[in-house]
Amino acid sequence: MSHTNVQFSVASHLLAALTLYQGEHATSTMLAQSINADPSFVRRVLSKLSKAGLVIATRGKNGACALARDPADITLLDIYKASEAPATFAVHTYPIEAMCPISCHIKEVMAEVLKKSQSDFELSLSDQTLADITASIKTKY
């Protein structure tokens, strides 16, 4: 059974929260409550976002987080790459059955298809910004 990776959606959630709650003292505990996730998991994701230059985080008793850039200057591709989420699709790793022509070639063919799909996915993310998704969230409440 495949494991679902939520790094990208959690990273997007964190950055949307930081955008919508700008000016507030945003702690990892507060952000973890927004996601309903463990604060240590949230801190690991925030660390990745900080290393990518998307978040400024201060540690300690009075530690907090803030956006490092304007939301209009942060694309969803920036967030996706910063979150280190795996590729959207992957080719299976089952052994090749030498007697089957499909088995002998499907991985190579699917790798080409999935590479294009991943590229299209990333291009789509590069066209959308954090400002876009937070504006969309605002229309919901």
Side-chain angles (χ1 to χ4, degrees):
M1 176 177 259
S2 296
H3 174 43
T4 303
N5 186 294
V6 297
Q7 297 280 329
F8 174 53
S9 65
V10 168
S12 298
H13 186 132
L14 291 171
L15 291 172
L18 291 174
T19 300
L20 294 171
Y21 302 130
Q22 273 183 335
E24 293 186 29
H25 190 75
T27 65
S28 60
T29 301
M30 180 196 94
L31 294 168
Q33 287 173 341
S34 175
I35 296 171
N36 200 15
D38 186 84
S40 64
F41 172 65
V42 169
R43 283 190 290 275
R44 285 193 305 272
V45 176
L46 285 168
S47 176
K48 291 178 182 180
L49 296 172
S50 179
K51 287 178 187 171
L54 302 179
V55 168
I56 298 168
T58 55
R59 294 181 180 201
K61 182 179 175 183
N62 294 317
C65 304
L67 291 176
R69 299 187 341 218
D70 187 281
D73 295 330
I74 299 173
T75 69
L76 296 187
L77 182 59
D78 294 331
I79 301 168
Y80 177 72
K81 288 183 174 183
S83 72
E84 299 174 357
T88 306
F89 304 103
V91 176
H92 69 80
T93 58
Y94 298 112
I96 294 172
E97 174 54 55
M99 300 298 290
C100 177
I102 298 165
S103 184
C104 291
H105 303 288
I106 190 73
K107 289 181 183 182
E108 177 184 355
V109 171
M110 288 306 297
E112 292 171 13
V113 169
L114 299 181
K115 182 178 179 182
K116 175 153 181 9
S117 296
Q118 183 70 32
S119 177
D120 291 347
F121 170 68
E122 290 183 14
L123 182 62
S124 172
L125 293 180
S126 71
D127 289 338
Q128 300 171 73
T129 68
L130 178 59
D132 296 333
I133 65 167
T134 54
S136 198
I137 290 168
K138 285 180 181 178
T139 68
K140 308 287 183 195
Y141 64 89

